[in-house]
Amino acid sequence: MREEIRLPQFGPPISHYTEAVRFGDLLFVSGLVAWDAEHRAIAPGDAVAQTRRIFADLRTILAEVGCGFEDVLKVNIYLTDIDDRARIDPVRQEIFRDTRPASTLVEVAALVHPDLCVEIECVAGIPAKP
């Protein structure tokens, strides 16, 4: 019942992981950061731009198994500056609209690259096919 989800447009992983794992009707998405397939940071230090890129990548991963943002059950957001919360909240509201997933948001000392300031992971419920 376990299926690893790898999408070539994200490039090779920098460690021993996959973009997501499907287990039954659940999808566990690894922490996503805003970088290109060559692992270059996008919009260095810009939390809003990085959040938009991460959500665009997350949309791609969710769609791979027939999900959308309305299927996200839990989201974890890691910021290198907690003051960025107020700046990224409008992006979250735009993306999730009326859906309110369970959520954790924490400040961390650092992410995998110094130009990255946001990392987002989630768990989604995969809807049953009609």
Side-chain angles (χ1 to χ4, degrees):
M1 231 22 203
R2 183 184 190 284
E3 174 190 1
E4 293 182 4
I5 310 295
R6 286 275 314 125
L7 301 175
Q9 65 264 40
F10 292 109
I14 62 166
S15 186
H16 192 72
Y17 70 93
T18 186
E19 277 83 44
V21 173
R22 179 182 185 160
F23 189 80
D25 61 356
L26 293 175
L27 182 70
F28 299 86
V29 180
S30 293
L32 299 174
V33 294
W35 60 16
D36 62 21
E38 286 78 38
H39 306 302
R40 292 181 300 235
I42 294 167
D46 184 339
V48 172
Q50 288 188 11
T51 299
R52 287 191 182 285
R53 172 57 185 258
I54 292 167
F55 279 134
D57 289 346
L58 180 55
R59 178 179 283 114
T60 300
I61 294 168
L62 292 170
E64 184 71 16
V65 296
C67 289
F69 287 108
E70 68 278 4
D71 301 306
V72 173
L73 306 171
K74 174 79 166 92
V75 64
N76 295 333
I77 300 177
Y78 306 95
L79 298 173
T80 57
D81 181 351
I82 199 68
D83 291 336
D84 284 334
R85 184 195 60 79
R87 290 184 274 285
I88 70 165
D89 271 349
V91 179
R92 289 178 61 173
Q93 291 170 11
E94 174 187 322
I95 294 297
F96 287 107
R97 301 179 188 222
D98 292 334
T99 302
R100 291 180 179 254
S103 180
T104 298
L105 186 143
V106 296
E107 182 179 56
V108 295
L111 294 172
V112 70
H113 188 281
D115 289 337
L116 298 170
C117 52
V118 182
E119 183 167 342
I120 301 174
E121 65 183 13
C122 76
V123 177
I126 301 170
K129 293 182 180 179

